[in-house]
Amino acid sequence: MLFSRQFFFLGSVFTYLSSAFCCSAFAEQTQPVSAQPQSQCPIPTYIPIVSKALKITDDRIHITSKYSSIEKDQIANFSGGVTLIDKDQIVIADKLAFNRQLMTFNAQGNIHYQNQSIGVIADELNANKKDEITSMLGASYQLYGNPVHGSAGELKLSSAQGLSLLASTFTTCPGEKPDWQIKASEITISADGAIGSAYHAQMRLFDVPVFYLPYFTFPVSKQRKSGFLYPKISSSSNSGFEIETPFYWNIAPNMDATITPRYMSKRGTQLNTEFRYLAGLQNGSIDLEYLNKDNAITSNTDARYLARFQHVGTFSDNFRAYIDYTTISDDNYLVDIGSSQYNSNDAYLYQIAELAYFGERWQTTMKLQDFEVLGNHQASYKTLPHVEVSTQQPLALFVHQDLPGQFELYSELTSFQPELNEQVDANRYHVEAGLTFPMSTPAWFFNSEFKLLHTYYQQNNIQAGSELSATVNRTLPKIRFHGGINFDRNMSLFGSQYRHTLEPQLQYLYIPEKDQTDIGLYDTTNLQDDYDGLFRDRSYSGLDRIAGANQYTWGVTSRVLDKSNLELFRLSLGRIQYLDDNNTFDEFIDAEVESDTKSQQSSMAVDLFYRLNHQWQISADIQYNTIDNFTNKGQVALNYQIDKYNSVQLNHRYTRNVSGSSLEQASLLASFAINEDWAFVGRFTEDLKNSRSIESYAGFQYESCCWAVRIAYHRYINSNLGDELSFNENRDEFNSGFVLEFIIKGLDGKQGAIGTQEMFNSSIFGYKRPYYLQN
């Protein structure tokens, strides 16, 4: 029999070209094979059922069976291990009948169906070309490449409408008794396999019904979809009982929004919104947190809010734009209410807009910058605007092609606008130009630098009695030589081969001393001292002070590396030797640093790193005054990384002078996998000077293949910002509370492990990942 027709079968269109029914008997039938689990949470896959004796090379449909018959040239009957094979669709059944006139199929007995997206085992199958619908009764299904599986009294497939499951179940949990599943009168999955819908759905946990929904939708794939996200339940002494119910809005392929009502029993209901966009090479977000009235504040009825706008983008190949602007209702907003944008102990908010151009040999940047400093503070300055222009030109382009070195020019124009009317405002123009001669080989390097620095200030609104001048011209030369040698040798230690290096370096820096007390302080502060900082050419972050220098700096580093050049050990130490005793000091210089300088040498800076093995490592840096025998600064971190989810970190921090007092803290962080499902995350930070706890955190997480739950307790010290009495009511010394999160995998389009990193990072200090740790 030859048919020259098309018919719909299981959601696809097939064409008989020749010998549509090839009837033969096979003694061997190939059965579906489930792949072996590759992890704790396997996603079942199936090997297509293709007979070894039959190779599909064209568009024909092949039906094979032990027995076949034809009734009145209309109905073809097949029985005995029936296998219907097309390129990507396969049906196995005990019996199969095809009605040529009605264009229908009927299969019965031990039916197994496969295509590229689903596998089904059913009792009976019916397909109708006219309706373009295929249905299977008594079905069990598994989506390919996805842990979604379940059962259905009737399963319907349609090329237009997708998959429909009547009297069905849906779960991503493995096993015959899933931890959670949805039972519904009908579950549908769209034709593209992205969106699921459930009607009269019952959510069951451990086969116990927990809630009922008449209708809801959920993502099946990773494709974005509008809908509610998982709620978050927590409590704190600052805000009371809290519940957040975020709603995700998939506005367009290039933009979305998350709208989160946040109920706080002590304060009221806050509305948080996040809008994100993407347009070509431009992307950004707008975040708004708004509380109309804070019920915990009785003396002030003003709204409390935080708004932040962030944008990053490039124009053509040369221009880059960057914006980060935040505004806030009051200084204590972060302390009282908290925000996902900043930590509660952050002292300032970003307000920056920048446009930059990058050419082949020159760059320019225009920046508008301000910082909203929180709490009691000295009034800060805005830069409106700040413009930089710099260029680097090889000398070979101007003098001789064999001449090394390059000409460098840096120019800056800044307008400083004060926050208060009684403050001085200023314009600053700075230019530095000169020659650099870098020379480098694998064995050594030597860099020399000869530059002239000129700065012009125009200062206005100077108060009577001030040392400041209306105009200031400052011109200073700078000479710098910096060189080093790299020695290395092979060494044998404990039966293993290593490479040992010795890397001494020496720098000379000269800048003449100049009285700069007639210049105001606009953007300048001390730079942090450490080993790498010894070899800087400046002591301050800004240009309002250029420290005089007639000094040399020595340093030496020794390393041990294994065969793969992995650093196992590093020790660096060095210091600055001052050649003059007539240095001038201003309000920036701390007492101990001044003592160092007057003694003709800086504190000894030491940097240490030691990797005991792939799990253990220790790192430390210290600045120690060897003349008066005291430590200026020091920190030590001990890390034990068992594996990706098991780690311990112990830290100690000491600073001799922070706003006139010393600081000493110790902290312990730990993350442990108790077993395959349970994990613990804990943190503890102690103020050793005042003998009090700063922060403590303990959290447990249970995570299976298809769901997870987190419960944590957090207690930390509240910041004390300013004298805004209207927003300082009912604030305890500590804030404490718990957090509860429940996550069902598969209803948010995500299937992978969620891990404990989010819990590890939820700290007022955060978590600093060891830089050299190989995980």
Side-chain angles (χ1 to χ4, degrees), residues 259-301:
I259 304 168
T260 307
R262 177 189 178 192
Y263 170 76
M264 298 172 284
S265 61
K266 288 185 177 181
R267 300 187 180 275
T269 300
Q270 180 189 43
L271 184 64
N272 300 334
T273 59
E274 178 193 33
F275 171 75
R276 302 185 302 176
Y277 62 88
L278 175 66
L281 299 178
Q282 314 292 315
N283 70 88
S285 64
I286 301 174
D287 295 88
L288 177 62
E289 303 172 359
Y290 184 81
L291 179 63
N292 186 57
K293 181 182 181 301
D294 192 341
N295 297 329
I297 306 298
T298 59
S299 60
N300 194 315
T301 60

Side-chain angles (χ1 to χ4, degrees), residues 167 289 315 451 548 566 666 717 721:
E289 303 172 359
F315 306 90
K451 290 187 177 180
L566 182 67
I717 194 167
L721 299 175

Side-chain angles (χ1 to χ4, degrees), residues 84-188:
L84 183 150
I85 302 175
D86 187 64
K87 289 181 178 179
D88 58 1
Q89 296 191 96
I90 303 146
V91 176
I92 294 177
D94 292 340
K95 297 179 181 180
L96 187 144
F98 169 62
N99 189 311
R100 175 186 176 186
Q101 183 176 355
L102 299 177
M103 298 301 293
T104 60
F105 281 94
N106 176 266
Q108 296 183 350
N110 298 317
I111 296 169
H112 185 84
Y113 166 76
Q114 287 187 32
N115 66 16
Q116 292 180 338
S117 60
I118 193 172
V120 182
I121 296 175
D123 297 331
E124 183 177 349
L125 178 149
N126 291 282
N128 189 296
K129 157 63 179 172
K130 297 178 180 179
D131 297 334
E132 294 192 342
I133 292 176
T134 297
S135 66
M136 286 173 268
L137 303 179
S140 298
Y141 68 93
Q142 168 75 57
L143 300 187
Y144 285 0
N146 195 309
V148 173
H149 64 97
S151 62
E154 183 178 3
L155 183 151
K156 292 183 179 181
L157 284 167
S158 168
S159 59
Q161 299 179 356
L163 175 65
S164 176
L165 308 167
L166 304 178
S168 56
T169 63
F170 177 101
T171 186
T172 59
C173 296
E176 296 181 358
K177 296 182 178 180
D179 293 349
W180 71 265
Q181 66 177 345
I182 297 173
K183 283 191 173 182
S185 62
E186 182 179 3
I187 297 175
T188 62

Side-chain angles (χ1 to χ4, degrees), residues 501-503 531 556-560 567 569-573 605-610 620:
T501 72
L502 188 66
E503 307 164 31
Y531 177 77
V556 61
T557 298
S558 182
R559 310 174 199 265
V560 176
E567 189 177 61
F569 174 83
R570 180 186 70 252
L571 175 64
S572 300
L573 55 92
V606 181
D607 179 72
L608 172 68
F609 168 78
Y610 177 51

Side-chain angles (χ1 to χ4, degrees), residues 31-90:
Q31 296 295 327
V33 179
S34 178
Q36 293 298 319
Q38 300 298 313
S39 63
Q40 180 186 359
C41 303
I43 297 177
T45 57
Y46 294 88
I47 299 175
I49 311 168
V50 177
S51 173
K52 297 179 181 178
L54 185 60
K55 296 182 179 179
I56 307 300
T57 59
D58 51 36
D59 292 331
R60 294 181 300 172
I61 295 177
H62 294 259
I63 301 177
T64 61
S65 66
K66 291 183 179 180
Y67 310 102
S68 63
S69 63
I70 298 176
E71 299 179 9
K72 301 179 181 180
D73 197 26
Q74 178 176 334
I75 299 176
N77 296 301
F78 303 89
S79 61
V82 181
T83 301
L84 183 150
I85 302 175
D86 187 64
K87 289 181 178 179
D88 58 1
Q89 296 191 96
I90 303 146

Side-chain angles (χ1 to χ4, degrees), residues 435-721:
L435 304 177
T436 62
F437 298 92
M439 293 182 287
S440 178
T441 71
W444 58 272
F445 71 92
F446 182 78
N447 302 320
S448 53
E449 181 179 334
F450 307 91
K451 290 187 177 180
L452 187 67
L453 286 64
H454 177 76
T455 314
Y456 171 77
Y457 283 86
Q458 182 181 10
Q459 302 176 111
N460 305 308
N461 197 28
I462 301 174
Q463 302 299 313
S466 173
E467 297 181 348
L468 303 184
S469 301
T471 60
V472 179
N473 283 282
R474 180 187 63 193
T475 303
L476 297 169
K478 180 176 71 173
I479 300 174
R480 183 188 185 196
F481 302 101
H482 184 201
I485 305 176
N486 301 322
F487 300 99
D488 69 89
R489 68 186 179 98
N490 295 324
M491 61 180 291
S492 179
L493 188 64
F494 304 116
S496 299
Q497 296 298 315
Y498 301 95
R499 187 158 58 94
H500 177 221
T501 72
L502 188 66
E503 307 164 31
Q505 55 180 313
L506 188 68
Q507 173 180 278
Y508 174 75
L509 177 65
Y510 175 76
I511 301 175
E513 289 285 340
K514 188 175 183 64
D515 184 7
Q516 301 168 50
T517 55
D518 54 351
I519 300 174
L521 300 175
Y522 306 107
D523 65 348
T524 301
T525 188
N526 276 6
L527 291 171
Q528 182 174 344
D529 295 324
D530 53 21
Y531 177 77
D532 293 327
L534 295 177
F535 297 92
R536 284 192 293 253
D537 62 351
R538 59 175 59 189
S539 302
Y540 304 119
S541 61
L543 295 168
D544 301 326
R545 295 292 185 272
I546 297 179
N550 183 18
Q551 64 193 42
Y552 72 87
T553 304
W554 65 266
V556 61
T557 298
S558 182
R559 310 174 199 265
V560 176
L561 303 98
D562 64 10
K563 292 181 179 180
S564 60
N565 285 327
L566 182 67
E567 189 177 61
L568 305 179
F569 174 83
R570 180 186 70 252
L571 175 64
S572 300
L573 55 92
R575 75 181 344 153
I576 301 173
Q577 297 290 147
Y578 304 103
L579 302 179
D580 286 344
D581 57 2
N582 60 343
N583 295 319
T584 58
F585 306 104
D586 56 38
E587 62 270 34
F588 278 126
I589 305 299
D590 293 333
E592 67 269 18
V593 180
E594 182 177 346
S595 176
D596 286 349
T597 311
K598 287 181 177 179
S599 65
Q600 302 303 304
Q601 62 184 15
S602 71
S603 293
M604 179 71 72
V606 181
D607 179 72
L608 172 68
F609 168 78
Y610 177 51
R611 182 200 303 275
L612 181 62
N613 51 41
H614 287 291
Q615 285 77 42
W616 286 95
Q617 78 167 40
I618 185 172
S619 59
D621 63 80
I622 186 173
Q623 293 91 55
Y624 186 76
N625 186 313
T626 58
I627 303 300
D628 298 322
N629 296 321
F630 62 77
T631 299
N632 288 331
K633 295 178 182 178
Q635 62 178 10
V636 181
L638 177 64
N639 290 277
Y640 178 46
Q641 188 82 21
I642 305 171
D643 53 38
K644 184 177 181 180
Y645 300 109
N646 294 269
S647 62
V648 178
Q649 186 180 89
L650 179 64
N651 295 282
H652 179 271
R653 297 175 291 273
Y654 173 79
T655 302
R656 179 179 176 84
N657 190 338
V658 179
S659 301
S661 61
S662 61
L663 178 150
E664 186 174 10
Q665 297 175 349
S667 62
L668 175 66
L669 300 86
S671 175
F672 292 113
I674 302 173
N675 54 36
E676 291 184 351
D677 300 322
W678 283 95
F680 168 79
V681 173
R683 286 191 307 275
F684 181 78
T685 302
E686 180 77 5
D687 182 351
L688 301 180
K689 284 293 183 181
N690 298 307
S691 299
R692 65 175 180 176
S693 169
I694 298 177
E695 180 182 30
S696 55
Y697 179 97
F700 290 91
Q701 175 175 289
Y702 173 85
E703 181 177 6
S704 70
C705 295
C706 54
W707 68 283
V709 62
R710 291 172 177 167
I711 184 168
Y713 175 79
H714 196 187
R715 180 179 184 268
Y716 58 90
I717 194 167
N718 276 325
S719 301
N720 184 16
L721 299 175

